[in-house]
């Protein structure tokens, strides 16, 4: 690493620390020529390859913006959107690849968005999957309902308790029979 003070072509790493949940590495460096210290920041760049072939840097803000449109008029706050965008980014980075197709980013959004708000999920899915008819919506609604059926692991414990479960993805304490606890 070139010294920013004397332009010497080499430097020594004195200290390294992770920052921003491990997404960045801050390195404290020392120049052997002039003796001054400076800090460098390294970031693993994640690129999104669009359908057109154009590559652009991954952006949580862009995910939040797209999902915010689907959540318009819904009871979803910015903190929930930020958490969703973080989950999507973490999931994509966990793959360990430097480039990811935009199609895969959309797929990663669908699951957490379904858990966050079913109406927003349908809105997003309708654009993402290019719904062209009412039948497309009906098919997706049937699939959404199936994901909450008793034999599915994503379903609420008892279908007759549906009013007590709140929005999808929220935890509900298990019932303990009287005298069993």
């Amino acid at each position: 690493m070139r010294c920013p003070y004397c332009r010497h072509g080499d430097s020594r790493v004195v200290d390294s620390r992770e920052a921003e949940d491990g997404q960045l590495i801050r390195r404290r460096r020392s120049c052997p020529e002039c003796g001054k210290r400076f800090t460098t920041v390294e970031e693993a760049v994640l690129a999104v390859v669009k359908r057109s072939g154009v590559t652009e840097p991954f952006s949580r803000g862009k995910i939040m913006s797209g999902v915010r449109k689907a959540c318009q008029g819904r009871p979803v706050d910015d903190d929930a959107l930020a958490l969703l965008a973080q989950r999507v980014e973490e999931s994509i980075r966990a793959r360990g690849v430097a480039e990811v197709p935009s199609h895969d980013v959309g797929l990663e959004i669908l699951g957490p968005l379904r858990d966050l708000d079913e109406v927003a999920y349908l809105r997003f899915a309708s654009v993402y999957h290019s719904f062209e008819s009412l039948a497309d919506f009906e098919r997706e609604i049937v699939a959404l309902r199936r994901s909450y059926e008793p034999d599915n692991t994503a379903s609420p414990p008892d279908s007759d308790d549906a009013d007590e479960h709140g929005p999808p993805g929220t935890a509900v304490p298990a019932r303990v029979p009287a005298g069993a606890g």
Side-chain angles (χ1 to χ4, degrees):
M1 175 62 64
R2 186 176 300 276
C3 174
Y5 301 106
C6 71
R7 310 299 294 161
H8 182 68
D10 195 18
S11 63
R12 184 175 63 87
V13 175
V14 177
D15 184 36
S16 293
R17 296 180 186 199
E18 287 187 0
E20 295 187 25
D21 297 324
Q23 301 303 316
L24 300 176
I25 298 175
R26 294 187 190 280
R27 297 197 195 277
R28 192 72 181 143
R29 296 177 176 269
S30 175
C31 175
E33 187 69 22
C34 68
K36 293 193 176 186
R37 290 186 172 199
F38 57 97
T39 301
T40 58
V41 178
E42 298 175 17
E43 179 178 21
V45 177
L46 178 60
V48 176
V49 181
K50 302 184 105 180
R51 289 182 195 149
S52 65
V54 174
T55 302
E56 64 181 42
F58 178 88
S59 167
R60 279 190 196 180
K62 196 165 183 180
I63 288 177
M64 287 178 61
S65 173
V67 173
R68 184 177 287 118
K69 291 173 189 169
C71 292
Q72 191 171 353
R74 302 294 304 156
V76 177
D77 62 17
D78 282 344
D79 289 341
L81 294 177
L83 186 58
L84 182 143
Q86 179 182 346
R87 285 177 60 194
V88 169
E89 181 176 2
E90 288 171 354
S91 176
I92 290 171
R93 284 192 185 274
R95 296 178 181 189
V97 296
E99 292 185 347
V100 61
S102 59
H103 177 76
D104 291 1
V105 175
L107 288 176
E108 289 295 334
I109 292 170
L110 288 171
L113 184 55
R114 182 183 62 225
D115 295 341
L116 181 64
D117 187 280
E118 293 170 338
V119 173
Y121 165 79
L122 284 171
R123 290 174 177 171
F124 189 88
S126 71
V127 173
Y128 182 73
H129 291 303
S130 303
F131 287 5
E132 294 182 3
S133 68
L134 185 56
D136 293 333
F137 278 95
E138 289 171 340
R139 217 177 356 265
E140 194 64 35
I141 290 169
V142 166
L144 193 57
R145 284 186 176 139
R146 269 196 211 120
S147 72
Y148 294 109
E149 287 180 355
D151 63 330
N152 189 312
T153 57
S155 68
D158 295 317
S159 59
D160 60 354
D161 293 335
D163 292 341
E164 298 176 23
H165 291 288
T170 57
V172 177
R175 288 190 180 172
V176 178

